[in-house]
Amino acid sequence: MTPRPAGPPDGGWGWVVAATGFAVNGLSYGLLRSLGLALPDLAEHFDRSAQETAWVSALALAVQQAASPVGSALSTRWGARPVVMVGGVLTSLGFVCSAFARSLAHVYLGLGLLAGSGWALAFAPALGTLSRYFSRRRVLAVGLALTGNGASSLLLAPALQFLLDTFGWRGALLLLGALTLHLTPCGALLRPLTLPGDPPAPPRGPLAALGLGLFTHRAFSVFALGTALVGGGYFVPYVHLAPHALDRGLAGYGAALVVAVAAVGDAGARLVCGWLADQGWVPLPRLLAVFGALTGLGLLVVGLGGWGGPLLAAAGAYGLSAGSYAPLVFGVLPGLVGLGGVVQATGLVMMLMSLGGLLGPPLSGFLRDETGDFTASFLVCGSFILAGSFIYTGLPRALPSCRPASPPATPPPEMGELLPVPVPQVALLSPAGPRSTLDATC
């Protein structure tokens, strides 16, 4: 039976859903972040350039994100549980098929198209379902789920290097196919939840199912543009941080250590930033713009970082800033669109980031081929993130105003301030309640 609480339970089975999100994130983005270690082996085996092999991870990222609205629409119609389970099967098949590839095009189809489609069916429905289970501690729960990225990278980076050294890239991909099949039991743990304000019937028509009507709201459009620009640089370290360390003279395990240091900083920052955001001391749009800018600066430092210790420190700084940014992107959505549209909005956010994610890694590989190293790559992609963070300052309450305003009543948790309902605007994105709405206005 589907539980019918009066509002988000803010705990209970929600923590099981958070653990599920942790595993789903680790077996998607955490695995993608470590997959860059296999790109040099693919380039050597198929005699291709860094730019061409970068399309493997770029296609997987792009398909996973561009098809996320489809996963969200299917989840809205059939529920998150069966959609995520099917996604796990598709992801596993993508890795297994790629292990038997005879050309780089086969790897594009296996990892890029098939595995990317599976991740699209798994990630957005899982994270959207998690947001519906929490209100006051939502950003912390999302941050906990997103630490799966860093924790998985910490474990998978040295493990994947060991598999590559022991079994070669074919054997490593085959074993990763067995690992990603665990997405299927994760989907089985996503218990459906019905909340007040949910539509009585699934949306009809493809446009309504995909949630494209959300773009008619100005604040969501500003958020969409900024997120697309951030995506142009955010995923470059997922693909080229390890090759960048190799270019700087570090051995295979040294490069894995650089990835692991970034992963540790990323994982810790997601939890700390999630707790900080839930306190309501600073409006979420403001935190989003600040930590987005710090992420862009972190990429610039990684590009300019030297060999050994300086590069490790730069990777750690980047991991801290990128990890702080991640939970804010999804934590801000319920305040923008309401809990009823958060699953669709999550899919749209993933699609928007794919627009930049498809451009960033190939551009980074092209600049590396032209210049001989990844310095220019990280500088250019860091600039994309800085530009997106500047766009975020157009969100409500992203910038301080000029005089104090009295705090209004807090709207129901299932409503967002951008929906066509009489909800006070200053209640945007403040999961801790009225005490967090104190700000200024002109």
Side-chain angles (χ1 to χ4, degrees), residues 49-73:
S49 66
Q51 180 185 2
E52 290 173 302
T53 54
W55 278 100
V56 174
S57 297
L59 283 173
L61 277 170
V63 172
Q64 187 265 335
Q65 293 171 329
S68 287
V70 178
S72 297

Side-chain angles (χ1 to χ4, degrees), residues 233-258:
Y234 189 83
F235 296 105
V236 169
Y238 282 54
V239 181
H240 284 147
L241 181 57
H244 176 55
L246 292 172
D247 279 356
R248 291 302 175 99
L250 297 177
Y253 286 99
L257 178 62
V258 172

Side-chain angles (χ1 to χ4, degrees), residues 167-396:
F167 302 105
W169 65 269
R170 294 186 186 275
L173 292 182
L174 194 62
L175 291 171
L176 290 178
L179 180 63
T180 53
L181 189 59
H182 289 78
L183 287 169
T184 299
C186 288
L189 296 175
L190 297 177
R191 180 183 295 173
L193 180 68
T194 302
L195 295 174
D198 286 348
R204 296 182 178 180
L207 296 182
L210 295 174
L212 298 182
L214 296 174
F215 287 105
T216 61
H217 303 296
R218 178 190 174 276
F220 187 79
S221 298
V222 171
F223 175 79
L225 177 59
T227 301
L229 286 172
V230 169
Y234 189 83
F235 296 105
V236 169
Y238 282 54
V239 181
H240 284 147
L241 181 57
H244 176 55
L246 292 172
D247 279 356
R248 291 302 175 99
L250 297 177
Y253 286 99
L257 178 62
V258 172
V259 176
V261 167
V264 170
D266 187 294
R270 293 182 185 217
L271 286 175
V272 173
C273 185
W275 175 83
L276 173 66
D278 280 337
Q279 303 311 302
W281 297 327
V282 182
L284 294 192
R286 196 172 303 168
L287 288 174
L288 183 69
V290 168
F291 284 115
L294 290 176
T295 302
L297 292 175
L299 266 187
L300 299 183
V301 174
V302 169
L304 298 173
W307 180 88
L311 183 58
L312 285 173
Y318 157 76
L320 289 172
S321 55
S324 299
Y325 169 82
L328 296 171
V329 174
F330 299 101
V332 79
L333 286 178
L336 294 173
V337 302
L339 289 179
V342 71
V343 177
Q344 294 170 316
T346 301
L348 290 175
V349 168
M350 305 308 300
M351 180 189 70
L352 292 168
M353 297 195 79
S354 75
L355 301 177
L358 184 61
L359 168 68
L363 175 61
S364 175
F366 170 77
L367 292 174
R368 195 272 181 195
D369 292 336
E370 292 295 317
T371 63
D373 58 37
F374 285 100
T375 300
S377 302
F378 282 91
L379 294 180
V380 170
C381 294
S383 301
F384 277 120
I385 299 180
L386 289 174
S389 301
F390 177 77
I391 298 295
Y392 284 148
T393 59
L395 290 172

